Amino acid sequence: MPVSRSVALVTLGCTRNDVDSEELAGRLTAEGWTLVDDAAAADVAVVNTCGFIEQAKKDSIDAILEAGDLREHGRTQKVVAVGCLAERYGKELADELPEADAVLGFDSYADMSNHLRAVLDGHAPEAHTPGDRRKLLPISPVEREAATQDVSVPGHGASDLPRARLDDRPWAPLKIASGCDRRCSFCAIPTFRGAFVSRRPTDVVAEGRWLASQGVRELFLVSENSTSYGKDLGDLDLLEQLLPELVAIEGIERVRVSYLQPAEIRPGLLRTMAATPGVVPWYDISFQHASGPLLRRMRRFGETDSFLGLIRSVRERQPEAGIRSNVILGFPGETPEDVAELERFLIEARLDVVGVFGYSDEDGTEGEGLPDKVDPEVIAERVERITRLVEELTAQRAEGRIGQSVTVLVEEVDEETGEITGRADHQGPDIDGATLLTGAVDAATPGTFVTATVVGTEGIDLIAEVTA
């Protein structure tokens, strides 16, 4: 029997990567590996990288370099890069980053244990040559299910696929799909994540039950495009059917749906989300911009008035719903008039949270080859300008909640200060601010829900008082 070796997983990027890391952790522990939290205490450090935007790539490379430094100061013998950056650049990354002892793509995940043992024994697998993963599956979505048996699609195992939790948070991401069929001209994700593939509802529910057995109270549904869920299974209403099953799981109190594509949001989905107790009034809608002509150039659909109509349809049913989005400034061809239109949209939309990003060319995207590039200094100025506006608007939106009653999932109790923080229904994990609890909080321990009244704000964060 092989000698037990230890491994640490360092995860960067989005919650979809969190799921991939926990699946890798499950596979490795099932193969006899000892899982440790501290990379310095592990024989091998596995860095699950992000390859989404330039800053994320830099952060991933820095993490690999930091793990490499542990060879001189800790137990660590080898460093292995996996995840989106490794998949996207493969051999090129391996050649330029010798600090990584191996660079492994998604197709290596199923046999990760043997790969890591080979790396430790000095026989690292050769890094792969990247390709367009969209081409691995049929163009027709309904023909993809059988084909996924021969293609590694992270997050798409059967219901008995091992998964090991890497934290004890009272919420957990639950992947419902992977990949994307859209062709946004600024985004490279489909090329390395592949075509859109839904997980079967039975597998999603089974994993939801397992997470509940691990103490999870809130399920955070993640994918590259949740509004496409079910299209490859022949039923575009499948998400509406899935949500009631998930909230019915014993121990699960809240279900949150992330990444809704505005062009694909159906009235039936909005009705179901609003009418299903336990599905939180939180809408993560990827607007990206509001100027119609610029959105067409981005290979997207919509404009200010249609987006405002969508927001109205949400708030007519749930006036206190939280709505978040991201916007990109400086896409090729963006004019001052486009920016002014985005400002008009943001002012009228009164969103709760807005991520503001400056455009940068991504390798292999259509945007990389477009003319009329915006000067980087102009992009920076526009980002600063919209960021200031967003900070003002979202702070006002938070202030408008003073006096409201909120249900808060307690997540953290600071042992030194005694501060207790959590998230209200309209606050998404990690990205949408938090709620600081005051008052009668003796019974507020992580994983419990408390009802409180909002009494103040700090930016988008709330201060809420719990009454006995």
Side-chain angles (χ1 to χ4, degrees), residues 6-10 39-40 42-47 67 70 76-81:
S6 58
V7 59
L9 283 142
V10 180
D43 293 316
V44 57
V46 177
V47 182
L70 296 175
T76 309
Q77 301 172 44
K78 301 292 183 180
V79 177
V80 175

Side-chain angles (χ1 to χ4, degrees), residues 183-254:
R183 295 295 181 266
C184 302
S185 54
F186 55 83
C187 183
I189 288 175
T191 62
F192 57 85
R193 275 289 183 180
F196 184 87
V197 182
S198 303
R199 292 184 70 189
R200 284 204 160 272
T202 50
D203 293 339
V204 175
V205 173
E207 188 167 323
R209 290 195 182 104
W210 178 81
L211 288 168
S213 75
Q214 303 299 303
V216 170
R217 309 297 303 279
E218 176 182 314
L219 299 176
F220 185 48
L221 307 189
V222 297
S223 72
E224 278 74 24
N225 180 3
S226 296
T227 36
S228 282
Y229 182 72
K231 72 174 186 179
D232 51 318
L233 300 178
D235 188 352
L236 265 176
D237 295 329
L238 212 51
L239 184 55
E240 289 95 303
Q241 301 167 39
L242 177 64
L243 291 175
E245 293 188 56
L246 293 174
V247 297
I249 295 173
E250 185 176 357
I252 297 301
E253 299 288 338
R254 295 203 305 206

Side-chain angles (χ1 to χ4, degrees), residues 350-461:
R350 297 182 300 114
L351 303 176
D352 292 82
V353 178
V354 182
V356 182
F357 298 91
Y359 171 81
S360 62
D361 285 334
E362 285 296 317
D363 298 335
T365 61
E366 182 184 351
E368 185 182 27
L370 289 177
D372 303 322
K373 302 288 187 185
V374 180
D375 185 274
E377 292 185 0
V378 174
I379 294 177
E381 183 277 327
R382 291 176 180 176
V383 167
E384 182 180 359
R385 171 178 154 193
I386 295 300
T387 297
R388 286 199 306 267
L389 174 65
V390 160
E391 288 176 348
E392 179 182 353
L393 293 171
T394 54
Q396 291 173 2
R397 177 73 175 163
E399 289 169 0
R401 295 185 182 276
I402 292 176
Q404 291 181 6
S405 176
V406 291
T407 300
V408 178
L409 173 59
V410 179
E411 294 188 331
E412 184 177 357
V413 178
D414 190 305
E415 294 182 0
E416 294 184 3
T417 65
E419 286 189 346
I420 299 177
T421 56
R423 288 179 297 106
D425 286 350
H426 71 279
Q427 295 172 316
D430 296 338
I431 51 178
D432 290 354
T435 299
L436 173 65
L437 295 171
T438 64
V441 293
D442 293 343
T445 57
T448 60
F449 287 88
V450 297
T451 300
T453 301
V454 180
V455 295
T457 64
E458 294 180 3
I460 61 172
D461 295 334

Side-chain angles (χ1 to χ4, degrees), residues 29-259:
T29 53
E31 292 287 335
W33 288 78
T34 299
L35 199 65
V36 297
D37 295 330
D38 185 0
D43 293 316
V44 57
V46 177
V47 182
N48 189 355
T49 61
C50 178
F52 179 37
I53 57 177
E54 198 61 34
Q55 186 58 52
K57 297 176 196 173
K58 291 178 181 177
D59 292 343
S60 293
I61 291 172
D62 287 345
I64 293 169
L65 296 176
E66 289 175 12
D69 289 341
L70 296 175
R71 293 188 186 94
E72 300 177 6
H73 308 292
R75 174 174 172 168
T76 309
Q77 301 172 44
K78 301 292 183 180
V79 177
V80 175
V82 300
C84 292
L85 191 70
E87 175 63 40
R88 186 175 181 183
Y89 293 102
K91 191 174 186 305
E92 180 184 347
L93 180 65
D95 291 343
E96 294 185 4
L97 199 66
E99 290 82 358
D101 297 289
V103 174
L104 304 178
F106 294 149
D107 292 327
S108 301
Y109 283 22
D111 199 25
M112 186 60 67
S113 176
N114 286 332
H115 289 314
L116 294 188
R117 293 187 187 279
V119 172
L120 283 171
D121 292 339
H123 308 294
E126 185 174 345
H128 67 288
T129 299
D132 188 341
R133 291 189 69 85
R134 293 173 296 188
K135 298 179 181 178
L136 298 178
L137 295 173
I139 293 176
S140 171
V142 294
E143 296 176 3
R144 291 177 189 163
E145 185 180 10
T148 58
Q149 304 306 312
D150 301 317
V151 176
S152 178
V153 184
H156 285 80
S159 58
D160 61 348
L161 180 72
R163 175 176 174 181
R165 295 208 70 202
L166 296 175
D167 58 62
D168 58 357
R169 299 176 301 192
W171 67 275
L174 175 57
K175 189 178 290 189
I176 62 172
S178 187
C180 184
D181 288 339
R182 303 195 71 85
R183 295 295 181 266
C184 302
S185 54
F186 55 83
C187 183
I189 288 175
T191 62
F192 57 85
R193 275 289 183 180
F196 184 87
V197 182
S198 303
R199 292 184 70 189
R200 284 204 160 272
T202 50
D203 293 339
V204 175
V205 173
E207 188 167 323
R209 290 195 182 104
W210 178 81
L211 288 168
S213 75
Q214 303 299 303
V216 170
R217 309 297 303 279
E218 176 182 314
L219 299 176
F220 185 48
L221 307 189
V222 297
S223 72
E224 278 74 24
N225 180 3
S226 296
T227 36
S228 282
Y229 182 72
K231 72 174 186 179
D232 51 318
L233 300 178
D235 188 352
L236 265 176
D237 295 329
L238 212 51
L239 184 55
E240 289 95 303
Q241 301 167 39
L242 177 64
L243 291 175
E245 293 188 56
L246 293 174
V247 297
I249 295 173
E250 185 176 357
I252 297 301
E253 299 288 338
R254 295 203 305 206
V255 174
R256 191 177 299 272
V257 185
S258 73
Y259 210 85

